[in-house]
Amino acid sequence: MIGLWLQFLACAGVIVGAGVFLVKFGDAIAERTGLGQLWAGAILVASATSLPELFTGVSSVLLFDVPDLAVGTLLGSCVVNLVLLAVLDLLSGKRSYFDGVNPAYIVEAAFGLVLIVLVALGLFLSDAFAGFPWAWPGSLLVPVVYVFGVRITLREGRYPPYVQDLETHKGGGSDAVKPKSLPTLKQAVIGYVISAAFVIAASLWLPGVAGEIAERTGIGTTVIGGVLVALTTSLPEIVTTVAAFRIGAADMAFSNVIGSNMFNIFILAVDDFLYFKGPITSGVSGAQLASALIAIGMTGTVIAALAMRTQRKFLKLSAASWVLIAGLVLNVVCISLLP
């Protein structure tokens, strides 16, 4: 048993270490190419930091036949990612991180909400579609919504923010001073690929270790996937989001969180297509619907916080951040108690 936990910690360590370099090389690529932080956060870094969820999900359904672990990991990761916005709020100083953000983030979060709703609908109708020979039809819509959402987000991102008061972000912002020494584009691309390779390797090993831990401890794949594996596969988002904020790329930090959630749902659709026993939503615990609904509520809270424009803080956090933290706690309780 000790050996399993050591393997689990080794996977987590590799994911964290590679995640630190992912954000640095991703930001360097954005700077060298002139594509900007929104593009880097919504696509480049978001997709790279979601590689653990991608390969964990694929190996869960193809190699280990544990669809509940795949779904729980992705939905749990969405919840954990959203709580990162509360962390940014804590780091932002006296004023809320949600103040003065680019309007593109509202669009991005709205599309993320639509994607999670599609998953929740599939879980709610799981019994009705249990006889389907393949994926739930709603999974066919996910790639379309994802591509359309990213396209609209990037288009909207060309417009300036509503408010230019970037002192809101104590750790930096769009106008913050960038490090003077950046790697060349070639070096950044090579470093990005190598970092991603380490993430992939650790992610392929992780589901087998997690499944074995769940079996030996008797905790179950729902809790292991929704809490332990979700937290581990979200480590790149945690590391890269905070690191991006610290180096002044606050825009990329926010876009990385929402973009990662969108990519997580895209991954869930991929897992559904690879699960040949029927719709993946019919082979999971009912507690996963609770996770989906909580993620919907948390995403809606983020949209409301962005639309309000002015947030007051209580105990160093805005009201929206406290709601996000409460959502995480509620999610852990639900997946622990519900069958």
Side-chain angles (χ1 to χ4, degrees):
M1 191 64 186
I2 296 178
L4 284 175
W5 284 109
L6 289 177
Q7 292 180 56
F8 187 90
L9 293 176
C11 291
V14 171
I15 290 172
V16 171
V20 172
F21 289 99
L22 273 175
V23 70
K24 292 183 179 179
F25 291 124
D27 187 52
I29 292 173
E31 288 292 316
R32 291 297 187 188
T33 58
L35 292 172
Q37 292 180 14
L38 180 62
W39 187 91
I43 297 179
L44 195 63
V45 178
S47 59
T49 54
S50 292
L51 288 177
E53 288 88 348
L54 173 61
F55 285 92
T56 296
V58 170
S59 55
S60 294
V61 296
L62 287 182
L63 302 179
F64 302 102
D65 192 23
V66 279
D68 196 53
L69 181 66
V71 176
T73 297
L74 290 168
L75 291 178
S77 179
C78 286
V79 172
V80 172
N81 289 346
L82 288 169
V83 175
L84 288 178
L85 298 180
V87 176
L88 297 182
D89 194 25
L90 179 65
L91 297 174
S92 64
K94 295 181 179 180
R95 296 188 59 187
S96 173
Y97 178 80
F98 297 103
D99 292 348
V101 299
N102 193 306
Y105 297 138
I106 299 177
V107 177
E108 189 179 25
F111 277 104
L113 181 64
V114 172
L115 289 170
I116 301 176
V117 167
L118 287 175
V119 175
L121 188 60
L123 292 167
F124 181 74
L125 299 175
S126 59
D127 291 338
F129 290 94
F132 267 52
W134 200 26
W136 179 63
S139 293
L140 296 172
L141 295 176
V142 170
V144 177
V145 175
Y146 176 77
V147 173
F148 185 72
V150 170
R151 179 183 177 186
I152 297 298
T153 298
L154 296 179
R155 186 189 70 185
E156 293 296 317
R158 291 197 292 264
Y159 297 100
Y162 287 125
V163 180
Q164 296 294 339
D165 180 13
L166 293 176
E167 291 182 358
T168 297
H169 310 300
K170 187 178 180 181
S174 299
D175 297 336
V177 177
K178 296 289 181 182
K180 294 182 179 179
S181 59
L182 282 174
T184 64
L185 181 59
K186 181 179 179 180
Q187 291 172 334
V189 171
I190 293 175
Y192 181 89
V193 172
I194 293 175
S195 300
F198 275 100
V199 171
I200 292 171
S203 302
L204 287 174
W205 190 259
L206 185 63
V209 177
E212 187 68 19
I213 291 175
E215 183 178 347
R216 292 197 183 185
T217 59
I219 296 176
T221 56
T222 301
V223 178
I224 292 293
V227 180
L228 193 60
V229 179
L231 181 60
T232 302
T233 55
S234 289
L235 286 174
E237 282 88 354
I238 296 173
V239 173
T240 56
T241 299
V242 175
F245 185 84
R246 289 299 190 187
I247 67 173
D251 291 345
M252 185 171 68
F254 195 108
S255 188
N256 176 42
V257 170
I258 305 300
S260 293
N261 279 9
M262 293 176 65
F263 198 73
N264 282 349
I265 304 304
F266 177 80
I267 293 171
L268 186 53
V270 173
D271 293 342
D272 197 4
F273 293 131
L274 295 177
Y275 187 66
F276 301 112
K277 296 183 178 181
I280 195 171
T281 53
S282 62
V284 301
S285 166
Q288 306 297 0
L289 178 58
S291 293
L293 294 176
I294 291 170
I296 289 173
M298 294 172 69
T299 306
T301 299
V302 172
I303 294 174
L306 297 181
M308 289 174 63
R309 312 305 313 150
T310 302
Q311 298 279 315
R312 291 185 177 181
K313 284 194 169 185
F314 174 72
L315 296 178
K316 297 185 178 182
L317 290 174
S318 63
S321 295
W322 285 114
V323 172
L324 295 178
I325 294 173
L328 174 63
V329 174
L330 180 60
N331 185 63
V332 173
V333 172
C334 286
I335 62 177
S336 300
L337 299 181
L338 293 177

